[in-house]
């Protein structure tokens, strides 16, 4: 069984998130795609006035519901404290010990993955599927970070070829504030 793990604040989820999830499922031939809104992201704070965890979970269900292999999980929302990916990967690995796990991340997270909490454990338990967000300098970043992760962590990293969609949760929030 191949399981994708796609976490994020999803504040709100948008067409870029959904497109990346659909393509990851197709390219990696995933049997299950866990969509996991996080509780407290360790790399940023949720802006004041953000939807509640329950609302973000419901938005994820609406946004990703049309993806056949997608399953929306509240595992991180049920945990206290910061939502570290290593804890999620461990939990999914414990639940599916024989599955091939794929951590799905955008290029913005790929460039700092080596700085995450316990990256060696994450990269031992899961392979990485990464996709472009359309940010400037991504080609250089991919050509530097993928070999670095392979060399330093023996990571298996696959760049999922998608055309990035210009969508950002921060921009959606800004427009909605008007």
């Amino acid at each position: 069984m191949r399981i994708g793990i796609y976490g994020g604040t999803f504040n709100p989820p948008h067409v870029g998130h959904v497109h990346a999830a659909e393509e990851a499922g197709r390219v990696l031939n995933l049997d299950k795609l866990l969509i996991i809104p996080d509780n407290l992201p360790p790399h940023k704070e949720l802006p004041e006035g953000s939807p509640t965890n329950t609302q973000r979970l419901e938005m994820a269900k609406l946004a990703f519901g049309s993806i056949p292999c997608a399953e929306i999980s509240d595992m991180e929302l049920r945990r206290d404290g910061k939502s570290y990916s290593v804890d999620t990967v461990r939990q999914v690995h414990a639940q599916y010990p024989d599955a091939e796990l794929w951590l799905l991340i955008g290029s913005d997270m790929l460039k700092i993955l080596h700085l995450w909490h316990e990256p060696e454990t994450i990269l031992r338990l899961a392979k990485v599927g990464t996709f472009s967000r359309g940010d400037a300098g991504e080609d250089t970043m991919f050509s530097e970070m993928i070999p670095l992760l392979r060399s330093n962590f023996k990571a298996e990293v696959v760049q999922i070829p998608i055309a990035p969609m210009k969508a950002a949760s921060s921009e959606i929030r800004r427009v909605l504030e008007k």
Side-chain angles (χ1 to χ4, degrees):
M1 174 180 272
R2 299 180 104 185
I3 300 174
I5 301 169
Y6 189 23
T9 55
F10 303 122
N11 182 26
H14 54 67
V15 67
H17 292 130
V18 175
H19 179 61
E22 288 171 333
E23 287 303 297
R26 185 183 64 74
V27 169
L28 299 173
N29 196 28
L30 299 176
D31 299 298
K32 182 185 295 263
L33 174 55
L34 297 173
I35 307 292
I36 307 172
D38 54 18
N39 182 30
L40 296 172
H43 59 282
K44 63 182 175 182
E45 290 192 26
L46 291 174
E48 187 175 324
S50 289
T52 66
N53 285 351
T54 302
Q55 291 168 327
R56 288 189 300 115
L57 183 68
E58 289 304 311
M59 286 190 295
K61 287 177 183 176
L62 291 170
F64 296 98
S66 66
I67 301 173
C69 65
E71 180 180 304
I72 314 307
S73 171
D74 66 350
M75 72 172 65
E76 287 190 6
L77 298 175
R78 287 183 277 123
R79 260 191 245 133
D80 290 329
K82 294 196 184 253
S83 297
Y84 290 111
S85 293
V86 68
D87 296 330
T88 301
V89 170
R90 278 186 181 123
Q91 185 174 344
V92 174
H93 177 70
Q95 188 173 356
Y96 301 96
D98 297 325
E100 181 179 286
L101 303 183
W102 284 88
L103 180 66
L104 306 177
I105 59 176
S107 60
D108 57 331
M109 295 293 109
L110 181 71
K111 69 182 172 189
I112 61 169
L113 178 58
H114 64 289
L115 302 173
W116 285 11
H117 185 64
E118 297 187 47
E120 63 284 346
T121 303
I122 295 169
L123 296 169
R124 179 176 46 81
L125 296 176
K127 299 172 182 184
V128 176
T130 185
F131 34 83
S132 175
R133 292 173 38 102
D135 298 335
E138 273 186 337
D139 290 339
T140 301
M141 187 276 305
F142 281 128
S143 67
E144 292 173 357
M145 290 309 300
I146 292 173
L148 177 116
L149 293 170
R150 288 176 177 159
S151 172
N152 291 355
F153 297 98
K154 308 290 184 259
E156 184 169 334
V157 183
V158 172
Q159 187 174 348
I160 299 166
I162 64 169
M165 304 187 87
K166 287 292 182 191
S169 296
S170 58
E171 181 63 19
I172 294 169
R173 289 191 306 272
R174 188 186 66 72
V175 168
L176 290 174
E177 287 175 358
K178 292 182 176 184

